[in-house]
Amino acid sequence: MAGAGNSTEPDYEAQRIVFVTGPSGAGRSTAINVLEDLGFEAIDNLPLSLLPRLLSGPAHDRPLVLGLDTRNRDFSADAVIESLTSLEGMVGVRPDLVYVDCRPDVLLQRFSETRRRHPLAPAGSPAEGIEREMDLLMPIRARADVLIDTSEMTPHELRSEIDRHFRAEGGSQMAISINSFSYKRGLPRGLDMVLDCRFLQNPHWEKSLRPLDGRAPEVAAFVADDPRFSDFHDKVLSLLETLLPAYSEEGKAHFSIGLGCTGGRHRSVACAEKLSRALVNGGWRVSIRHRELDRDPLEPRHS
């Protein structure tokens, strides 16, 4: 958030303006609704030409969330980026750009399920509209301060993600998210750091531990008993203790860490849990998500 760094005003006095955009069907409206629930004044589909008029009067008593839709008559990537750059140079204004993203194949599935026409291809196929819109939005995506990929998220998970980023308006501390995952299903999107835990001894091959997951004390103890574990954990924590304050000082709002193993149920989960506790004890605001456990249709088995 470069604009906050240029301002001589304290963060809590700055006018908070959050732009929300992304491809149709990715969850932009849901993100705006969550921010409105958090106390933001929401203005959706605002023509960018009206933005100077919106900000020309007295300061708003609430933070603003502005929804940007590619269907607006004056929408263009250049105009959005130019508006953000202009706001970043203004004293007393704190802009952020939230980009709610989704994979094209998932967007196509969502349009097929709802039988909606794509707004950028009303007479064509949804696939044509999705491709056209993602090409249009590509420069804006690259400029995003907060990038949220909803391809594997439920609406509830998206609400939680937005809430985690923006609920603590009174503080400027960077939010940390820790994600465990299986390499078989690929890396989660949007990670800033990836750590591979597959070198550690694997509880999967212990019959008594296989049904459990990395949150179980028995599994955590088994993973921690690997002679390489303590050195790995301590060095990762030491690295983060150096990096996180530096990123926070630069205005980064969110830092996402991924820990992966083969199945995403044992080693990565145990490592993520221990790292999360260490960062919380260090005073950081941390959320944790176990991707493969979240997808387990059964109740998590960890006791």
Side-chain angles (χ1 to χ4, degrees), residues 1-7 11 14-19 40 51 55 64 66 80-81 83-98 143-146 166 251 253:
M1 298 180 295
N6 295 335
S7 173
D11 277 349
Q15 174 66 63
R16 186 75 185 274
I17 303 175
V18 176
F19 294 87
F40 283 71
L51 183 59
L55 300 177
L64 297 175
L66 307 180
V80 172
I81 293 171
S83 296
L84 283 166
T85 302
S86 176
L87 290 175
E88 288 175 345
M90 296 174 60
V91 172
V93 177
R94 181 185 169 196
D96 275 315
L97 173 61
V98 176
R143 171 63 179 74
D145 298 292
V146 177
F166 292 101

Side-chain angles (χ1 to χ4, degrees), residues 212-245:
L212 307 177
D213 63 56
R215 296 168 296 183
E218 307 94 310
V219 175
F222 182 89
V223 174
D225 193 48
D226 189 307
R228 299 160 294 191
F229 174 81
S230 292
D231 193 38
F232 168 69
H233 170 78
D234 292 346
K235 286 181 177 177
V236 168
L237 183 59
S238 177
L239 176 62
L240 290 172
E241 287 171 344
T242 299
L243 293 179
L244 295 181

Side-chain angles (χ1 to χ4, degrees), residues 157-211:
E157 289 171 334
L158 173 56
R159 295 184 69 89
S160 297
E161 188 78 0
I162 293 290
D163 184 271
R164 179 169 55 80
H165 279 289
F166 292 101
R167 175 173 291 279
E169 283 300 307
S172 59
Q173 188 191 52
M174 181 171 61
I176 313 298
S177 66
I178 297 180
N179 307 264
S180 70
F181 66 92
S182 164
Y183 275 98
K184 291 180 180 178
R185 295 190 54 245
L187 273 64
R189 292 197 173 193
L191 297 178
D192 295 294
M193 174 184 288
V194 178
L195 301 166
D196 189 339
C197 304
R198 289 176 293 185
F199 68 93
L200 296 168
Q201 59 188 9
N202 192 352
H204 175 80
W205 302 116
E206 296 292 323
K207 184 178 294 187
S208 62
L209 300 180
R210 184 179 300 178

